[in-house]
Amino acid sequence: SWQMGPLEELVKHSTDTLNVDPDRVYLTGLSMGGRGSWALAAKMPKQFAAVIPVCGGGKLNTASKLIDVPIWAFHGDADRVVPVAETTKMVEAIKKEGGEKVKMTIYPGVNHNSWAQTYANPEIYEWLLQQKRQD
């Protein structure tokens, strides 16, 4: 179970006190942090310009809160720690709710360390910079 209050306060404190473009705040995390990314994005959907959860699943009942958030999810199909179905079900749930800004990349034969390929991929940084928060 995540303690969302301290995370929300950290995001608010950072955007209030640091030289941050509030329309270009991005969220990513891997494994348990991937789960946290889904959860925090659902809790604060208007806060983030884009989200990249990596090998972490979300709660399907939060999908409707994420339909307007650009999300690119990543997972290895051979993950023995967090089943790839946790990502695919979340993406499908968002699409079922009408979300059109969600996509996923599944790495064939990759176990739990799908973050290695994800964070080494220059395309994710180009994609992030194309995203800007919409009020």
Side-chain angles (χ1 to χ4, degrees):
S1 66
W2 285 90
Q3 299 292 324
M4 286 294 132
L7 290 174
E8 290 176 84
E9 290 174 26
L10 177 63
V11 170
K12 182 169 179 14
H13 175 75
S14 298
T15 56
D16 288 349
T17 61
L18 300 173
N19 187 14
V20 173
D21 180 345
D23 292 329
R24 293 193 181 275
V25 177
Y26 308 112
L27 175 63
T28 187
L30 57 99
S31 192
M32 189 176 285
R35 291 182 193 275
S37 295
W38 286 113
L40 190 59
K43 184 80 170 165
M44 307 172 75
K46 296 191 181 300
Q47 179 67 49
F48 301 103
V51 181
I52 297 181
V54 183
C55 63
K59 293 187 177 183
L60 301 179
N61 64 350
T62 65
S64 64
K65 297 176 182 176
L66 297 168
I67 60 173
D68 294 321
V69 180
I71 299 170
W72 191 356
F74 294 84
H75 216 118
D77 72 355
D79 193 328
R80 292 185 304 267
V81 177
V82 179
V84 67
E86 292 199 29
T87 290
T88 58
K89 286 179 184 177
M90 193 67 194
V91 169
E92 290 168 3
I94 294 168
K95 287 181 178 180
K96 185 177 179 183
E97 291 289 335
E100 298 177 357
K101 298 179 180 182
V102 61
K103 63 182 180 174
M104 69 180 159
T105 296
I106 305 299
Y107 300 116
V110 173
N111 191 358
H112 191 55
N113 68 336
S114 55
W115 56 84
Q117 286 178 261
T118 301
Y119 294 134
N121 180 354
E123 289 180 35
I124 68 163
Y125 304 104
E126 293 168 14
W127 178 81
L128 282 173
L129 292 174
Q130 293 171 6
Q131 310 308 315
K132 189 172 180 183
R133 184 176 66 157
Q134 306 296 315
D135 286 333

